[in-house]
Amino acid sequence: CLSDWSSDVCSSDLNTRLMNSWHSFSPNGRWLVFSSKARSPYTQMYLTHIDENGEDSPAILVENSTAANRAVNIPEFVNIPADGIAKIDPQATEFYRLFDIATELGQKLQYHQAVATWNQALDLSPDDAKAHNSLGVALAATGRTADAFAHYRKAMELEPDYPDSYSNLGILYAQAGDLEHSIPLLQKALELSPWDAKAYSNLGNALASAGKIEESISYSRKAVQLSPDDPEANANLGVGLARSGKLDEAIERFQKALAGAPDSAAIHANLAGALIEKGRMDEAVPHFEQALKMEPDSLELNSAMGRLLAAMGHFAEAIPYMEKAAGGGDPTMLGMLSAVYAQTGRIEDALRAARRGLQIATERHDNDLMAALEKSFKAYEAALPKRQ
């Protein structure tokens, strides 16, 4: 029952068993404003009118009074004339409105718009560590890594015990190949949030990249223990296991990861690699196909698929993938492509690919590759007259 010591009005129709209602009567006792979770996991605000018989009207939802990251304030009426407030300038409310918009834009992968909105929010509250951290995430996603570094560091400066900024900065260093700076930051993030599976997983992944495989597996196992169905944790554990030669368990982990993230190109590619190591090449093919659906222009994935098909003797099928991979100007891939052309009888194409690879290898002063490509080039050149 809702009641107020200043009024005898009581309306059981408005309350819920959640016991979460805060309420306030208007000065004339005819209006009641209250907050409730009856229709939402987040607090919503409602307004109802009480007539002369003490009967309440259907409650009307007060729009724009709910947000996922904060509660509605205790509602109050202001006993002033209608024209008593000319303007309300709620900067804090505007900051959180922009905070919510920017967060939603990030969730929709609309990072450029998110960057602009985070900047607007920080204009209102420049010392908010979480906003700086979130802006860093959006900037990193748009390729502006130098700016992302700056905002992560600002977040750490403003809130030294905020783990996300350490974690995100550590990941950014890892992506740049700077594991010397990455690992201590990820260790700090784990120290600040020892309950967080992702903190264990991120550190495990960085340690694997640093070649510290057994340490990596230990942290990744802890991540999976804390969050058994987390795709990233399972995938990172799979990487460590595969690098330690524990291929059967690695395959199981990659399959578990795919159950939660079936559209991850990286997980499909890692699973394919582990299957190849086990000699299960036929099973690897569909995983590379799935990975290429997500990232059709990936030189690495096209190269892997082409090499796999060539190793299986499917030379004609391998050519389109290897041609795409060779488009990046890798002389080694050009050498492989020339060999596959030759296997299908396309000697002129083989000669052209070998010539291009030899030219690039010469420019790079790669003597071993130059020698191999020159040998192939001469062999294809010698074969041409026989085909004329």
Side-chain angles (χ1 to χ4, degrees):
C1 176
L2 287 177
S3 64
D4 189 279
W5 63 268
S6 63
S7 172
D8 292 331
V9 176
C10 176
S11 177
S12 60
D13 298 338
L14 303 178
N15 209 356
T16 74
R17 294 180 180 179
L18 298 176
M19 299 295 290
N20 65 341
S21 295
W22 293 94
H23 59 281
S24 176
F25 282 94
S26 64
N28 66 2
R30 293 299 190 186
W31 292 92
L32 176 67
V33 61
F34 66 97
S35 56
S36 174
K37 292 183 179 179
R39 299 178 182 174
S40 166
Y42 306 116
T43 310
Q44 294 178 313
M45 193 181 298
Y46 294 87
L47 184 67
T48 185
H49 181 262
I50 311 297
D51 65 19
E52 61 274 10
N53 297 317
E55 298 293 331
D56 57 281
S57 65
I60 303 297
L61 174 66
V62 179
E63 299 286 352
N64 299 319
S65 64
T66 301
N69 60 351
R70 59 195 180 278
V72 170
N73 290 328
I74 298 173
E76 291 289 347
F77 282 96
V78 181
N79 190 16
I80 60 174
D83 59 353
I85 298 178
K87 179 183 179 183
I88 297 178
D89 187 16
Q91 285 202 7
T93 303
E94 178 63 8
F95 168 76
Y96 282 111
R97 187 185 73 84
L98 292 169
F99 193 109
D100 290 342
I101 292 172
T103 300
E104 186 175 351
L105 288 168
Q107 291 169 347
K108 293 178 179 178
L109 309 184
Q110 297 175 6
Y111 294 114
H112 289 285
Q113 298 94 316
V115 167
T117 308
W118 282 122
N119 278 318
Q120 291 176 43
L122 282 167
D123 285 341
L124 296 174
S125 185
D127 293 333
D128 190 284
K130 292 178 177 60
H132 279 285
N133 176 73
S134 296
L135 175 55
V137 171
L139 287 165
T142 61
R144 296 170 58 183
T145 54
D147 292 331
F149 273 115
H151 283 281
Y152 290 147
R153 291 194 183 98
K154 184 64 176 178
M156 291 163 58
E157 174 190 327
L158 291 167
E159 196 171 327
D161 293 335
Y162 180 44
D164 288 11
S165 53
Y166 291 91
S167 180
N168 288 328
L169 184 57
I171 291 170
L172 207 57
Y173 272 121
Q175 291 171 345
D178 187 349
L179 297 172
E180 183 180 355
H181 284 92
S182 170
I183 290 174
L185 287 164
L186 295 174
Q187 288 171 331
K188 180 65 175 179
L190 179 57
E191 177 187 327
L192 292 170
S193 54
W195 59 85
D196 185 2
K198 289 192 180 298
Y200 285 94
S201 183
N202 290 333
L203 180 55
N205 193 35
L207 289 167
S209 298
K212 300 178 179 180
I213 304 303
E214 292 308 314
E215 288 183 68
S216 164
I217 291 173
S218 175
Y219 283 104
S220 296
R221 284 196 190 281
K222 181 64 175 179
V224 171
Q225 180 184 342
L226 288 169
S227 185
D229 296 325
D230 182 77
E232 185 178 348
N234 279 283
N236 286 344
L237 177 55
V239 169
L241 291 167
R243 291 183 181 179
S244 68
K246 300 172 183 176
L247 293 170
D248 289 329
E249 191 179 355
I251 290 169
E252 290 178 8
R253 286 298 156 191
F254 289 136
Q255 290 171 333
K256 177 73 172 178
L258 280 178
D263 295 331
S264 171
I267 299 174
H268 276 290
N270 283 326
L271 176 54
L275 289 167
I276 291 170
E277 288 293 318
K278 286 290 292 182
R280 295 159 60 179
M281 294 186 177
D282 287 339
E283 294 177 58
V285 172
H287 289 290
F288 276 135
E289 288 175 341
Q290 287 299 315
L292 282 162
K293 285 181 181 179
M294 269 72 80
E295 298 182 16
D297 297 324
S298 168
L299 298 181
E300 184 177 357
L301 287 174
N302 277 283
S303 172
M305 182 64 154
R307 287 184 284 113
L308 173 59
L309 291 170
M312 295 171 67
H314 304 317
F315 299 112
E317 295 176 41
I319 287 174
Y321 297 104
M322 300 187 85
E323 286 177 333
K324 200 159 191 174
D330 179 7
T332 301
M333 180 52 57
L334 284 162
M336 292 181 183
L337 176 60
S338 69
V340 173
Y341 277 142
Q343 288 286 346
T344 60
R346 295 170 59 175
I347 303 301
E348 290 183 0
D349 289 331
L351 187 62
R352 185 172 59 254
R355 182 187 293 114
R356 176 60 178 152
L358 179 58
Q359 178 186 351
I360 296 172
T362 303
E363 292 169 355
R364 298 180 182 179
H365 305 289
D366 188 334
N367 294 327
D368 291 339
L369 188 54
M370 285 167 56
L373 286 168
E374 188 170 10
K375 183 178 179 180
S376 297
F377 180 81
K378 289 179 179 178
Y380 304 145
E381 197 172 38
L384 273 177
K386 299 176 184 179
R387 296 179 54 80
Q388 292 176 344

